[in-house]
Amino acid sequence: MAAAVADWAAFLSLGVSASAAVSLPVLLWADADYLLIKDWQAVGDRVLVEAANARHAAQDARRAAAVSVAALLLLLSTPTAEVTR
């Protein structure tokens, strides 16, 4: 049974690797229109905006994860004698 699970995990890993290896060149080829841009300053500004958006999204995700963990700990913890009085 353990060998079957390991084989499936290896097969899944191989599939993900092959998918990534094929999709990257295809993505770069399909998005090659960026080479035709004349004003690279606008591209640089857009990259900075997207980086700031990603940073804010990461902060929001961390905050949401912290609230979720705190709520889960409150739900799963057993009440003490002082709380139940």
Side-chain angles (χ1 to χ4, degrees):
M1 178 69 179
V5 173
D7 289 342
W8 274 105
F11 182 71
L12 181 66
S13 176
L14 178 66
V16 169
S17 300
S19 163
V22 170
S23 65
L24 182 64
V26 170
L27 179 67
L28 291 176
W29 176 74
D31 199 27
D33 289 342
Y34 76 93
L35 294 174
L36 303 175
I37 296 174
K38 292 180 182 174
D39 184 19
W40 282 96
Q41 182 65 31
V43 173
D45 292 344
R46 186 66 189 166
V47 167
L48 291 175
V49 167
E50 292 301 326
N53 288 342
R55 185 178 68 236
H56 291 303
Q59 289 172 350
D60 291 342
R62 281 194 305 255
R63 188 175 301 117
V67 169
S68 297
V69 167
L72 186 64
L73 287 175
L74 284 174
L75 285 172
L76 296 177
S77 63
T78 57
T80 59
E82 292 88 25
V83 175
T84 56
R85 273 196 250 171

